[in-house]
């Protein structure tokens, strides 16, 4: 009996030690992101501008999947259309229209959390377009994104890339519909045969399929109920095929917003209420006059683009993209992203550390 208690005690002690190690490993720390970027140049890119001065530039022209960071472009298109009277931000949209594109267990709970947040703004099972756009940015709702792409017009959204002067950016398409490409194009294939067939599709064929899928989702509310086969290899194909761009392009976009001179005042009226949701937190309002951001993630990708103007008129534009992550790496980095960004925005010593450790690259 005594030996049994001793063994139980040893096991409990080991579990406590392992728990402590795990807690320490995942503890938020700005250096976690810095060290990953420094040690994994093939997986990362970053660009930082402070008061119009280049601080960091690492792999600035590397094309990488954007994940939900691409929604910034859709938000800009919405703001421009609203400013020009092409869309009514207060138009009420049936929630059922959005629900056509909601695929459970594929958005990390974004849609459910958004609907809880806006429950007081829903009337007769309808909600205003401006709230739909807010949900796309602050909650990263994919269903809202899919609906907005149709409402605003994918061609208009892609044309916006040209008007913004963005050169290195792949075409924006229906990313929820893309979840069904395997089911739609290769209904009789499974496992490795399906993976191989999807890999052999050209990106144009892949995007084309999303258009017909989107139309089916719009017309048939039950289409989404069968997503088809899902596995990590198929998830990777979906992730890799998402719209790509560079940190250089997205820092330029952040600069255009942060300068307050590129877009009209009327456009900023709509854009600021969408992008600057972090200022809803009073603690951020104590530091910043303007603070806007959008991140994105898949099982393999983490992205972030942000801009800020603090109370002393210091301006910051930052973009960093990370790809080829495993589950543990992704979770650990996500835990530390806020600390990393806060350090960049508020800590001069940390900015100097970044500059010193990552070096300045052209």
């Amino acid at each position: 009996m005594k030996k049994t208690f001793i063994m139980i005690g040893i096991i409990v002690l080991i579990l406590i030690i392992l728990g402590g190690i795990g807690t320490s490993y995942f503890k938020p720390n700005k250096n976690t992101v810095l060290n990953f970027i420094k040690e994994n140049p093939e997986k990362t890119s970053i660009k930082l501008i402070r008061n119009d001065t280049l601080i960091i530039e690492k792999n600035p022209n590397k094309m990488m999947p954007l994940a939900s960071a691409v929604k910034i472009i859709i938000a800009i298109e919405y703001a421009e259309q609203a400013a020009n009277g092409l869309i009514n931000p207060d138009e009420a949209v049936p929630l059922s229209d959005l629900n056509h594109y909601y695929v459970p267990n594929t958005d990390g709970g974004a849609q459910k959390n958004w609907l809880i947040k806006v429950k007081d703004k829903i009337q007769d099972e309808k909600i205003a377009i401006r709230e739909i756009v807010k949900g796309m940015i602050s909650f990263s709702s994919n269903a809202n994104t899919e609906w907005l792409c149709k409402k605003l017009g994918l061609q208009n959204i892609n044309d916006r890339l040209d008007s913004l002067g963005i050169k290195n950016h792949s075409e924006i398409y229906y990313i929820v519909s893309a979840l069904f490409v395997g089911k739609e194009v290769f209904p009789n294939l499974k496992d490795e045969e399906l993976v191989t067939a999807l890999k052999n599709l050209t990106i144009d064929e892949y995007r084309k399929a999303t258009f017909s899928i989107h139309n089916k989702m719009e017309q048939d509310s039950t289409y989404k109920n069968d997503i088809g086969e899902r596995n990590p290899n198929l998830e990777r194909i979906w992730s890799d095929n998402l719209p790509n761009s560079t940190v250089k392009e997205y820092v330029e976009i952040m600069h255009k917003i942060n300068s307050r001179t590129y877009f009209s005042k009327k456009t900023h009226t709509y854009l600021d209420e969408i992008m600057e949701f972090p200022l809803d937190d009073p603690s951020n309002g104590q530091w910043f006059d303007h603070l806007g951001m959008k991140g994105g993630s898949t099982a393999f990708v983490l992205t972030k683009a942000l801009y800020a103007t603090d109370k002393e008129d210091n301006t910051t534009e930052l973009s960093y993209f990370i790809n080829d992550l495993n589950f543990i790496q992704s979770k650990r980095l996500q835990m530390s992203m806020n600390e990393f960004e806060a350090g960049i925005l508020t800590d001069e010593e940390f900015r100097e550390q970044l500059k010193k450790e990552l070096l300045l690259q052209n």
Side-chain angles (χ1 to χ4, degrees), residues 37-309:
I37 293 172
K38 182 172 63 175
E39 295 165 6
N40 297 273
E42 76 286 356
K43 297 181 178 182
T44 59
S45 60
I46 184 170
K47 184 167 184 175
L48 170 63
I49 302 291
R50 177 78 171 177
N51 293 326
D52 296 325
T53 299
L54 180 63
I55 305 298
I56 301 164
E57 189 176 54
K58 191 175 185 68
N59 294 330
N61 296 308
K62 183 180 179 66
M63 293 288 286
M64 299 180 73
L66 292 164
S68 288
V70 74
K71 295 170 184 176
I72 295 169
I73 306 299
I74 301 168
I76 291 172
E77 178 60 26
Y78 155 79
E80 291 281 35
Q81 288 196 24
N84 288 286
L86 300 176
I87 191 171
N88 177 10
D90 296 314
E91 177 186 337
V93 177
L95 292 177
S96 58
D97 288 1
L98 304 176
N99 196 49
H100 279 272
Y101 312 113
Y102 170 57
V103 184
N105 304 315
T106 62
D107 69 349
Q111 195 71 3
K112 289 183 177 180
N113 292 333
W114 171 65
L115 287 171
I116 292 171
K117 175 71 173 180
V118 298
K119 63 181 180 179
D120 294 336
K121 298 181 179 180
I122 297 171
Q123 296 184 354
D124 299 324
E125 293 301 305
K126 295 181 179 180
I127 193 157
I129 290 177
R130 64 175 0 114
E131 297 299 330
I132 293 172
V133 188
K134 289 178 183 178
M136 176 185 69
I137 295 297
S138 61
F139 284 85
S140 211
S141 163
N142 289 336
N144 291 11
T145 304
E146 187 93 354
W147 183 87
L148 282 163
C149 282
K150 180 64 174 290
K151 181 67 173 181
L152 299 172
L154 272 177
Q155 188 61 56
N156 294 327
I157 293 168
N158 282 294
D159 287 346
R160 184 62 56 189
L161 296 173
D162 293 333
S163 70
L164 289 168
I166 300 172
K167 303 297 183 184
N168 295 315
H169 201 298
S170 63
E171 183 179 333
I172 298 171
Y173 60 92
Y174 295 118
I175 60 175
V176 174
S177 296
L179 293 168
F180 297 83
V181 171
K183 164 194 167 181
E184 183 70 20
V185 181
F186 305 108
N188 299 318
L189 298 183
K190 293 184 177 181
D191 302 324
E192 288 304 313
E193 287 186 340
L194 178 57
V195 170
T196 299
L198 282 171
K199 285 183 177 180
N200 288 334
L201 277 181
T202 67
I203 190 62
D204 286 339
E205 291 171 331
Y206 185 90
R207 292 179 188 132
K208 184 178 180 180
T210 67
F211 284 88
S212 61
I213 293 167
H214 176 88
N215 290 334
K216 289 184 178 182
M217 295 182 77
E218 182 180 34
Q219 296 163 14
D220 181 1
S221 62
T222 67
Y223 181 90
K224 65 175 186 176
N225 295 339
D226 179 14
I227 196 172
E229 185 176 353
R230 302 305 299 166
N231 63 53
N233 290 328
L234 294 172
E235 290 287 343
R236 184 57 190 261
I237 293 170
W238 176 80
S239 179
D240 286 344
N241 282 344
L242 289 171
N244 281 230
S245 190
T246 70
V247 292
K248 180 180 179 181
E249 298 287 17
Y250 272 71
V251 160
E252 286 297 319
I253 296 168
M254 296 299 95
H255 178 73
K256 283 179 169 64
I257 300 174
N258 206 23
S259 70
R260 327 303 298 177
T261 59
Y262 181 86
F263 296 105
S264 70
K265 289 183 178 180
K266 196 167 185 181
T267 296
H268 268 289
T269 299
Y270 299 105
L271 188 57
D272 292 356
E273 74 169 350
I274 302 302
M275 291 297 299
E276 300 191 0
F277 67 91
L279 292 179
D280 293 341
D281 183 339
S283 63
N284 287 329
Q286 294 176 6
W287 284 86
F288 302 100
D289 287 329
H290 297 284
L291 177 63
M293 63 181 64
K294 183 71 192 87
S297 66
T298 71
F300 315 96
V301 170
L302 289 174
T303 60
K304 180 61 77 69
L306 67 81
Y307 65 88
T309 300

